[in-house]
Amino acid sequence: MSFEVAKKAIDYILDNENDSNFATESVIWDFIGGEPFLEIDLIEQITNYIKSELYRRNHHWFNSYRLNFTTNGINYDNPKVQQYIKDNYTHIGITITIDGTKRKHDLNRVYKNSSRGSYDDVVKNIPLYLSQFPGASTKVTISSEDIPYIKESVLHLFSLGINEVNINCVFEDVWKDGDELLFENQLIELADEIIDNKLYEGNVCSFYNENIGKPLSTTTSDQNWCGAGMMLSIDAQGNFYPCTRFAGYSLRNKKPIIIGNIRDGINNNLLRPFLSLTRSSQSTDECINCDYAYGCAWCQGENYDAADTPTIYQRATAICKMHKARVRANNYYWNKLYRKLELEGAEKPAEKSFDINC
Amino acid sequence: MLKYLVIQLADDAASYCHYENVSKGVQFISVENLKTAIRFGMVENLNIQFIYPKRALPDGYAEIIETIDHTKIIPCAAPNSKSADIVVCNSIEEIEGYNFDKEQIVILRIYRSEVNELPRIYDLLKGKCARLNVVLRDVEKFSEGDFEDYKSLLAQLGNKVTTSLIEGGNAQLNLLTDRLVLNTMNNCNAGDEVVAIMPNGKFYPCAGFYYDNPNEDFGDLMRGVQIKKRQLFKLSYAPICRHCDAYHCRRCAWLNRKTTLEVNTPSHEQCVVAHLERNESGRILSSIREACEYEPETTIPEIDYLDPFEKRKEW
Ligand code: SF4
Ligand code: SF4
């Protein structure tokens, strides 16, 4: 993205301060790549422009904004990145994605034109990261071939001092026969480790959530899961999307859904389907009446990409068997934990509720 | 459940609705397809509507058509328009120059720039036809200023309709009188209750979908109707419309897809136009009830929005 495009996008957003699309109390400026910290000079220029414009316009987001980054962590100790963090410390949120153990991480994350994995270069930055952002979390995405490494990866991340591991299965149809059993076993083995070694004290893995796996009523719980349409995603050419998953480079089978651009603004009619989505209007009866419905997530972009017709109103259900496996392991986790605490005469740990991030 | 089968007799048949006939084709439906379509309608127990072109049909078609009970939708410029149950006029000039039968329903397709003519046309047709259906050809282009103008125009029309109804007339005008007798949705229902068969022997929710892309068919006369994601054409899967009481609205699936890319999601413009009509119907209803007995137990409560989408947080 050129600075000019970024500037026009910011101008459009700030010019429309009173538009219902931007009438939020606060804003998150989310920089996503590729790897955002490769473009730290551009990011700094954009950030400075945002800050000066918020000030100049006396905009209601002045002092009510965040700058978010999801990074592979390799450049985290780069002096320019460190200076940027210092300059914006009170507004910044950074997630370093590290997949788990070295063998797991290096399975997918290797340098271009080389077979060398990036694990060592990331892990060396974790102490600095945690010293600047204590309590930081990481985000892990599981695909079929990752299943055997789930237990060791989560335990490894805990051992690195990352106490919050947000983890979810990909929504794409990648699952093989039998994956659900392997997955369930991994989560049960992980539950045993967490509970037997009291790792639940001070660590959280988002796979275990006491609320999931229950039926949902369409009258009281009919919300959409995914946030597509409630964010504005902008590509390098200045096109607007309801989420980057709707950009051409993210889609396998469907045309991009472009809802506007920096010159013409947002076409609100194209946004209406996104903002009107409910659980019941995009689910089959099987999903609506499912006994395990709570916590079964979806990604609007994958729904669209996998749908029979070009619609966002068709839930992709490739994740169904994995969700049910997760629910079974989750039941095991809480039954085992409560029984243990009961026998020990201990108090229930305060529950921290997590949702799957997509 | 399917209830209606629309059989389009030629590629250049008249549009009787929101879509434009953009086809350059002149193909008539083949005799074989015509017969098979009629048979399909009979075995599925569907009400059949034939859509005619301006040109005369080839020899033999009229006899085949008469083998089944049906409704004829014919452009006023066609040689056989006198036999139409529903006559389609594509302009103010066409409607002014035509001599309707009292039993005929008239469809007038006009642009928003022409709506000011409606009170005059309403007077002109009074007592001369069974009903006037106005179709706005460019609903999606209404601006905020157009909404204001349309509201005033509806108020003028509403006064005329009210007077006529109080005097015991049967002044049916889809924009304002349909809602007076409706307590549930009465929409186009293309793709759910209605399916169209086009001259190529393939099914579509309506002809508008065929003109957009003939390759996106919903089955053919050999395979039968295969509507993909059919639930999305149903009211229960329309997240905005299922909360709405503009019961007379066409809820046009074709316009929906054109403006929002989703057949189940209407544009802001479609909703506001329908609500301006709904609100004027409410005013008519109160005036009639003040003046005389009015039997239908319709209710049209006052509401503080023109687009139900704005109320989505309350659903
Ligand atoms: S979907 Fe229905 S209302 Fe819309 S153009 Fe087609 S027939 Fe008309
Ligand atoms: S007014 Fe809007 S919400 Fe109501 S039925 Fe028509 S299209 Fe649907």
Side-chain angles (χ1 to χ4, degrees), chain A residues 168-183:
Chain A
N168 68 273
C169 293
V170 298
F171 296 100
E172 285 75 9
D173 190 5
V174 297
W175 307 107
K176 301 192 198 82
D177 282 351
D179 274 356
E180 68 277 25
L181 292 175
L182 292 174
F183 181 57

Side-chain angles (χ1 to χ4, degrees), chain B residues 185 187 240-241 244-246 249 251 256 266-267 270-271 274-275 308:
Chain B
M185 276 291 179
N187 319 124
I240 305 175
C241 302
C244 174
D245 77 346
C249 174
R251 208 164 69 75
N256 289 355
S267 65
Q270 186 174 186
C271 290
H275 277 78

Side-chain angles (χ1 to χ4, degrees), chain A residues 232-261:
Chain A
L232 184 66
S233 178
I234 305 156
D235 73 8
Q237 285 70 44
N239 291 314
F240 294 161
Y241 303 89
C243 153
T244 36
R245 186 67 173 78
F246 289 88
Y249 52 76
S250 304
L251 293 162
R252 299 181 306 275
N253 305 314
K254 298 284 191 323
K255 284 193 212 152
I257 296 187
I258 297 175
I259 57 165
N261 59 54

Side-chain angles (χ1 to χ4, degrees), chain A residues 238-289:
Chain A
N239 291 314
F240 294 161
Y241 303 89
C243 153
T244 36
R245 186 67 173 78
F246 289 88
Y249 52 76
S250 304
L251 293 162
R252 299 181 306 275
N253 305 314
K254 298 284 191 323
K255 284 193 212 152
I257 296 187
I258 297 175
I259 57 165
N261 59 54
I262 50 176
R263 288 164 299 281
D264 308 322
I266 296 174
N267 176 339
N268 281 309
N269 276 336
L270 294 177
L271 208 47
R272 281 163 77 91
F274 289 90
L275 300 181
S276 306
L277 279 158
T278 59
R279 190 171 72 89
S280 63
S281 59
Q282 60 185 308
S283 304
T284 58
D285 284 349
E286 188 187 347
C287 291
I288 290 173
N289 301 319

Side-chain angles (χ1 to χ4, degrees), chain A residues 99-110 117 119-120 145-153 156 186:
Chain A
D99 292 349
T101 55
K102 181 172 165 65
R103 70 169 173 156
K104 163 69 182 73
H105 184 94
D106 286 349
L107 211 63
N108 301 323
R109 296 178 186 264
V110 285
Y119 175 86
D120 293 332
E145 44 299 340
D146 305 320
I147 295 173
Y149 309 102
I150 292 174
K151 180 182 76 170
E152 65 175 46
S153 294
H156 180 67
Q186 276 287 313

Side-chain angles (χ1 to χ4, degrees), chain B residues 24-129:
Chain B
K24 300 215 166 43
V26 289
Q27 183 194 355
F28 280 104
I29 191 168
S30 67
V31 168
E32 197 193 342
N33 278 347
L34 178 59
K35 285 183 178 167
T36 317
I38 290 173
R39 191 190 136 94
F40 175 84
M42 290 167 83
V43 299
E44 296 292 334
N45 210 20
L46 305 177
N47 294 302
I48 296 183
Q49 299 175 337
F50 290 103
I51 316 295
Y52 286 69
K54 278 187 196 160
R55 303 174 286 152
L57 296 179
D59 288 348
Y61 277 55
E63 291 73 24
I64 300 169
I65 287 168
E66 293 309 326
T67 58
I68 181 72
D69 190 20
H70 64 272
T71 302
K72 288 186 177 71
I73 303 180
I74 306 180
C76 67
N80 61 339
S81 65
K82 287 288 167 214
S83 65
D85 301 292
I86 302 176
V87 186
V88 183
C89 298
N90 267 313
S91 67
I92 302 285
E93 293 73 43
E94 278 192 352
I95 209 167
E96 282 173 336
Y98 196 80
N99 202 3
F100 298 97
D101 284 348
K102 277 194 174 158
E103 282 73 40
Q104 284 182 318
I105 293 173
V106 180
I107 291 179
L108 172 61
R109 300 180 68 245
I110 51 168
Y111 296 101
R112 69 195 190 291
S113 56
E114 299 171 295
V115 292
N116 286 332
E117 298 284 346
L118 282 178
R120 190 172 63 77
I121 297 298
Y122 181 81
D123 286 341
L124 189 75
L125 293 194
K126 212 163 162 190
K128 293 189 183 142
C129 64

Side-chain angles (χ1 to χ4, degrees), chain A residues 222 257 269-270 272-273 275-276 278 280-281 283 285 288 308-314, chain B residues 228-229 232 237 239-240 242 259-262 264-269 271 307 309 312:
Chain A
D222 202 21
I257 296 187
N269 276 336
L270 294 177
R272 281 163 77 91
L275 300 181
S276 306
T278 59
S280 63
S281 59
S283 304
D285 284 349
I288 290 173
D308 301 332
T309 60
T311 180
I312 57 170
Y313 278 80
Q314 180 182 341
Chain B
K228 292 178 200 138
K229 300 310 296 170
L232 296 183
Y237 276 81
I240 305 175
R242 68 187 181 188
T259 52
T260 72
L261 305 180
E262 295 288 347
N264 67 347
T265 310
S267 65
H268 172 69
E269 293 77 15
C271 290
D307 181 354
F309 175 76
R312 65 191 181 281

